[in-house]
Amino acid sequence: MAQKSLRRCDLDEAIVVKLESKEMFTVQDVILKDELTLYEILDQPLPAIRQLLYKVSTYVVPQSQTVHEMAVSSNNQFLATDVYELDKELHGGVPCDAITEVIGSPGLGKTQFCHTLTVMNHYLKGGRTVYIDTENAFSVERLMEIAKHKFAHHYGRPDTTEEALKDLTENVTLLTPADTVELLQQLQELEYFIITKKVTLVVLDSIAAIIKREFGGRQNLPARQDLLAKEAGKLKFIAEQFHIPVIVTNHLAPMMNRNPATYDFNQGNTAAQALSAAFETSVVAALGNTWAHCVNIRFALDERREIEHNNELTRFITIVKSPTSANLAIPYRILKAGFTMHPDAAVRMGRKSTVTTALPQRDTNQAFQNPQLQHTFTMSAQHPQQAGNAQQFNPPHQPHNQQTPSTSTTSTTNNTWNSSNQQSRVTYFNGGRRT
């Protein structure tokens, strides 16, 4: 909160100009100065200086709020991921006032998850995404492919495809910082851009890549931790102040000790635990405790062989850290339509119901604000006597892979998307390495 710009504190323009001439741009810059210093800079009487300090301080002090007010204000403040079970557990999707971290080994879909959320943000909210790419992994072709296959009725119609895809790409601002100094500067300047361009999603892919390039060894640990604290503080300020989701991807690192703030990939189902005994080293999220405690929600991507499903290698997204959900592993796939839930997810998770949903058509003449998507739960074959009594439910989105014929958006041929790095990657698997 102390990083709030002075230009948002309703101060006299002449005072703001004088402060900026002394490189004082935020509330923190002002309140850390003593009264004498401000007196010399502004040439104002002491009572006016004290009134200034009081005024800027009130702008960053959190206001008291009742639980009821919090509940009312938080309604529909989520961004759906289009992974139904994940969104249901999170009560609507990734929250719009928190940092959500996605961790996993290379090739498991972290960037695909970010691309998919970028499309969801534009389709559901008509909003702009700021995409900070530190690994040169962003692909505009992949972004458009996901859009055309996930929402074919909007981005894939012959009469509107070009216009719809142009609107999508024009609402994604790509930043490619060369180093940590440039990254921090871009984060500090993001506040003004969010206000003027009406940004509704911020993606940082990834936080670890740019840090590791400059702080490779433990000898630079204090400087790295200081930088991480500054970046995390700015990201949390953006999420909380503007009520938008911030998505950050992170790498894995060998686990040096058993830390409760990390996820060691030895967790999982019984089959995964049995296989993990063959490996000697566990892996955890990179960047240590300083970063781990700044994250509000953490998803872990991994793959496991399921003995009960013919030893099939299945990918899972696991809710590792969340203030509203228990740990839960959900099967997923990477298709031409992006990051989607596995079609047998309910069965593999031991659920007794399947889900059929209808995706609403987006009105192309206006932004899609907080859509109420209808979900119908149909009882499974284990309870045929209840099949006629479907339960109605209204969470905020529906899965891509189980749509009604009228709104089907999947390709009928070769729908699986193949990444170019699938052949050569080294996978961290249940606590070890598998080539």
Side-chain angles (χ1 to χ4, degrees):
M1 295 293 287
Q3 295 297 320
K4 190 171 186 177
S5 172
L6 290 175
R7 291 193 172 275
R8 298 185 58 212
C9 295
D10 194 26
L11 300 177
D12 183 77
E13 179 67 18
I15 292 178
V16 174
V17 170
K18 287 183 178 180
L19 292 173
E20 289 181 343
S21 68
K22 300 297 182 180
E23 297 186 351
M24 301 168 66
F25 302 99
T26 67
V27 172
Q28 176 177 286
D29 295 334
V30 173
I31 61 179
L32 290 180
K33 301 294 183 182
D34 57 67
E35 294 178 354
L36 179 59
T37 301
L38 294 175
Y39 172 81
E40 294 174 347
I41 294 173
L42 299 176
D43 193 22
Q44 297 279 338
L46 190 58
I49 297 299
R50 290 173 177 169
Q51 181 63 28
L52 171 68
L53 288 170
Y54 174 79
K55 187 173 184 178
V56 297
S57 298
T58 57
Y59 272 93
V60 296
V61 174
Q63 300 297 316
S64 60
Q65 193 177 33
T66 66
V67 173
H68 174 72
E69 290 171 339
M70 292 176 63
V72 171
S73 64
S74 64
N75 285 343
N76 296 319
Q77 292 189 0
F78 298 92
L79 176 60
T81 66
D82 204 33
V83 178
Y84 173 76
E85 294 290 348
L86 181 63
D87 290 341
K88 188 174 74 170
E89 283 295 319
L90 297 175
H91 308 289
V94 293
C96 291
D97 56 356
I99 298 178
T100 299
E101 182 190 46
V102 184
I103 61 176
S105 58
L108 286 183
K110 298 187 296 297
T111 298
Q112 300 304 312
F113 185 84
C114 295
H115 279 60
T116 302
L117 281 189
T118 301
V119 173
M120 295 294 293
N121 178 54
H122 183 259
Y123 177 78
L124 296 177
K125 299 185 176 183
R128 176 182 291 273
T129 298
V130 173
Y131 199 111
I132 306 174
D133 180 18
T134 66
E135 296 187 304
N136 295 321
F138 181 83
S139 170
V140 65
E141 291 80 10
R142 178 61 177 145
L143 184 74
M144 293 190 293
E145 180 183 45
I146 292 173
K148 287 189 290 186
H149 285 82
K150 185 174 288 291
F151 301 114
H153 61 276
H154 179 67
Y155 298 105
R157 289 168 52 188
D159 56 332
T160 62
T161 295
E162 184 176 349
E163 181 180 351
L165 292 178
K166 179 182 178 182
D167 186 54
L168 167 64
T169 54
E170 286 182 344
N171 278 282
V172 178
T173 299
L174 183 65
L175 303 178
T176 54
D179 51 39
T180 55
V181 174
E182 186 175 353
L183 172 60
L184 186 58
Q185 181 180 359
Q186 290 176 347
L187 292 177
Q188 291 171 344
E189 296 173 351
L190 206 53
E191 181 180 346
Y192 178 77
F193 188 82
I194 290 173
I195 296 172
T196 56
K197 300 298 183 179
K198 299 181 180 179
V199 175
T200 53
L201 173 65
V202 173
V203 175
L204 174 54
D205 182 25
S206 73
I207 183 67
I210 200 166
I211 293 290
K212 288 181 177 180
R213 285 202 295 264
E214 297 185 35
F215 302 95
R218 295 187 64 84
Q219 67 273 13
N220 296 320
L221 188 60
R224 189 190 77 172
Q225 299 300 78
D226 181 63
L227 178 65
L228 276 173
K230 291 179 180 178
E231 292 178 349
K234 195 61 184 178
L235 290 170
K236 289 181 77 70
F237 170 79
I238 290 171
E240 295 172 1
Q241 183 70 19
F242 299 103
H243 301 287
I244 62 177
V246 174
I247 311 298
V248 180
T249 65
N250 193 5
H251 293 173
L252 298 176
M255 186 172 66
M256 306 303 295
N257 52 56
R258 292 280 177 177
N259 193 319
T262 58
Y263 175 67
D264 66 4
F265 283 78
N266 283 321
Q267 305 178 30
N269 56 23
T270 304
Q273 292 173 349
L275 288 171
S276 67
F279 300 96
E280 299 178 355
T281 306
S282 296
V283 290
V284 297
L287 305 182
N289 284 340
T290 298
W291 174 254
H293 291 295
C294 294
V295 173
N296 302 104
I297 295 177
R298 171 174 283 171
F299 302 145
L301 307 184
D302 66 320
E303 50 187 5
R304 315 167 189 172
R305 291 196 179 277
E306 297 185 286
I307 298 176
E308 63 270 28
H309 292 286
N310 298 322
N311 214 31
E312 178 185 344
L313 188 61
T314 304
R315 294 179 177 183
F316 287 85
I317 178 171
T318 303
I319 303 174
V320 177
K321 177 182 179 182
S322 170
T324 60
S325 171
N327 288 11
L328 180 69
I330 304 165
Y332 72 92
R333 295 189 302 175
I334 305 296
L335 305 176
K336 288 184 177 180
F339 197 100
T340 60
M341 191 171 73
H342 195 286
D344 296 331
V347 175
R348 293 167 187 265
M349 295 170 63
R351 306 283 184 171
K352 293 186 178 182
S353 61
T354 58
V355 182
T356 58
T357 61
L359 194 93
Q361 302 277 333
R362 175 179 173 179
D363 185 354
T364 57
N365 296 320
Q366 61 182 356
F368 202 102
Q369 298 290 344
N370 297 324
Q372 296 298 320
L373 308 178
Q374 296 298 321
H375 291 250
T376 302
F377 285 77
T378 306
M379 303 308 293
S380 64
Q382 288 96 327
H383 302 278
Q385 70 277 13
Q386 300 180 19
N389 300 320
Q391 303 176 18
Q392 298 296 324
F393 186 62
N394 293 317
H397 102 296
Q398 61 94 36
H400 161 71
N401 49 45
Q402 292 181 337
Q403 298 169 334
T404 59
S406 62
T407 59
S408 176
T409 62
T410 58
S411 173
T412 57
T413 59
N414 190 26
N415 193 39
T416 302
W417 182 79
N418 295 315
S419 173
S420 60
N421 64 356
Q422 294 292 314
Q423 300 294 330
S424 60
R425 77 168 188 268
V426 176
T427 302
Y428 289 85
F429 174 63
N430 297 322
R433 294 174 69 96
R434 179 181 65 82
T435 58

